[in-house]
Amino acid sequence: QVQLVESGGGLVQAGGSLRLSCAASGGTFSTYAMGWFRQAPGKEREFVAAITRSGGGTYYADSVEGRFTISRDNAKNTGYLQMNSLKLEESAVYYCAAGSRVLYGGYSNYYTRRAYDNWGQGTQVTVSS
């Protein structure tokens, strides 16, 4: 099992950028797929992006495609989410997740919360203006 801690959240103006980090410890990070989810008040937790164990494949929700970039540095046991052109409606708590059960590629295997068995506590992102 791996423990995850998100950081990098904060206040940003609409159209601005923010980079979130997900620090992993207590396990072999490279053996886990990694995903980012977000949850706004009164809404369901939704998939944002995911990356395969080696970083060779990425998946994005349609709503963030082209604006967000997920990456990972297994040597540093850290995952990242670069968010550009942020929109007001993207204010949410952003969660990092690591999954050990993903066996195949494909969006359908990564977008579901069921793929992930380790979750961080979340970091707040507030988009203003």
Side-chain angles (χ1 to χ4, degrees), residues 52-119:
T52 59
R53 293 172 177 81
S54 67
T58 58
Y59 304 93
Y60 297 94
D62 288 343
S63 61
V64 307
E65 183 78 48
R67 297 186 297 113
F68 289 13
T69 302
I70 187 171
S71 62
R72 66 192 297 162
D73 187 338
N74 287 340
K76 296 181 178 179
N77 295 321
T78 303
Y80 306 94
L81 182 68
Q82 176 67 46
M83 305 184 293
N84 297 329
S85 302
L86 281 160
K87 303 175 180 180
L88 288 173
E89 61 266 33
E90 292 178 314
S91 292
V93 176
Y94 283 69
Y95 297 90
C96 177
S100 61
R101 59 188 291 177
V102 183
L103 301 178
Y104 306 101
Y107 180 90
S108 63
N109 293 306
Y110 288 84
Y111 89 98
T112 174
R113 295 192 299 274
R114 296 174 182 174
Y116 307 95
D117 47 2
N118 300 272
W119 293 83

Side-chain angles (χ1 to χ4, degrees), residues 8-50:
L11 179 65
V12 62
Q13 288 190 333
S17 299
L18 209 60
R19 189 179 80 158
L20 306 182
S21 297
C22 176
S25 62
T28 305
F29 186 54
S30 62
T31 66
Y32 294 83
M34 188 188 74
W36 287 93
F37 291 74
R38 65 190 179 192
Q39 187 165 26
K43 295 185 179 295
E44 298 178 356
R45 187 172 300 188
E46 65 175 351
F47 171 75
V48 176

